[in-house]
Amino acid sequence: MATKRFMTLPRHIMEGEKEHPEATGELSTILLQLGLAAKLISLEVNKAGLAEILGFTGDENVHGEKVKKLDIYAHEMLIKAMDHGGHFCVMASEEEEDIIHLPPNQKIGKYVLLFDPLDGSSNIDANISIGTIFSIYKRISQGNGPGTREDCLQPGYKQVAAGYVVYGSSTMLVYTSGHGHGVHGFTLDPAFGEFLLSHDGIKIPKQGRIYSLNEGNYFSWPQGLKNYIKYLQSNLFEGKPYQARYVGSMVADIHRTLLYGGIFIYPGDKRNLKGKLRLMYECNPMALLMEEAGGRATDGHSRILEIQPEALHERTPIYIGSEDDVLLVEKFLRDGADRY
Ligand code: AHG
Ligand code: MN
Ligand code: MN
């Protein structure tokens, strides 16, 4: 997977286009635009002037969660970066109740962009890794007019690209265009502001040794999940039990799972049967990446990518990571018969 060649994001995308003549080049332009937005958000996340944009706006988002200024900045930055260029017919953001139409004077394109502008926002003040997640579809509504809600409610297997940016010890952009084209990671070199290919063709280990979920919710979990976690803690794998790691930013936990293997879980529990994470903005894009990297992503029973969305902000339980680990927790859930 390690890459020696000096390969920038634009060059990698252009080379990828040559290999896939069916690609119109438009998707490449979209990915490059996303790279630009990522650089601008990264600047804001990392710059000394963080003080004036930290802290709560005092507002609440559609999910009733306190919104931090950086969420708003990232949300507005992405829209500004992506609403021209004529690529999209409609957008939707975790931070916006309804679908987002393009400005009236803009050319309407054939793509749909869904995004979580800032993931892990509760970690901002503690300088813990946060991220941006994006998901791209082709429109399915007829005509060349503005896109519709129907365009934004497609099952995840119809994504034409998905990825995330993680603003951590370095800023990395990880994306896939699906269809076996692989998962590729680019690290931002702040010296000259380019994303350089640092992880060419990421493949997740078939089984890992790390489990990742919020154990504070233990007493609300389904019995099968309790049995599974006790199994990981009480058995020896290569001489020791699984390790627990949980950042609390999905992008950081998924990034570590993708590179090191293991399993990330945000389960449904007796208080929230559908769990917390959003199907369209978090689970579908991460599921496409994980399956492309050879992993597995389900709601505990069925593939995330096959869920037919009903609502823009709907949530789903998610069990995602190394194939063997996800298959094993599914067995424990079946045996536990989802009893609480
Ligand atoms: P967001 O900041 O976009 O609302 O996402 C936060 C999510 C996700 O990043 C993370 O995995 C999860 O919240 C953590 O939830 P808990 O604090 O309940 O564990
Ligand atoms: Mn999120
Ligand atoms: Mn968010």
Side-chain angles (χ1 to χ4, degrees), residues 94 116 118-121 214 246 248-250 266 276 278 282:
E94 180 205 80
D116 175 358
L118 205 83
D119 174 71
S121 36
N214 183 338
Y246 190 68
S249 294
M250 185 187 198
Y266 208 107
K276 171 181 183 182
R278 277 64 49 144
E282 294 164 317

Side-chain angles (χ1 to χ4, degrees), residues 184-235:
H184 309 290
F186 298 80
T187 300
L188 182 63
D189 181 330
F192 57 104
E194 270 296 353
F195 279 105
L196 297 183
L197 183 64
S198 51
H199 298 70
D200 188 8
I202 299 174
K203 285 292 175 200
I204 185 170
K206 200 163 174 329
Q207 183 183 359
R209 289 289 180 278
I210 298 171
Y211 72 89
S212 179
L213 78 170
N214 183 338
E215 299 200 55
N217 299 322
Y218 175 83
F219 286 100
S220 306
W221 292 348
Q223 188 56 45
L225 177 57
K226 289 180 184 172
N227 300 343
Y228 170 68
I229 296 297
K230 287 301 158 217
Y231 170 77
L232 297 183
Q233 292 169 337
S234 52
N235 279 274

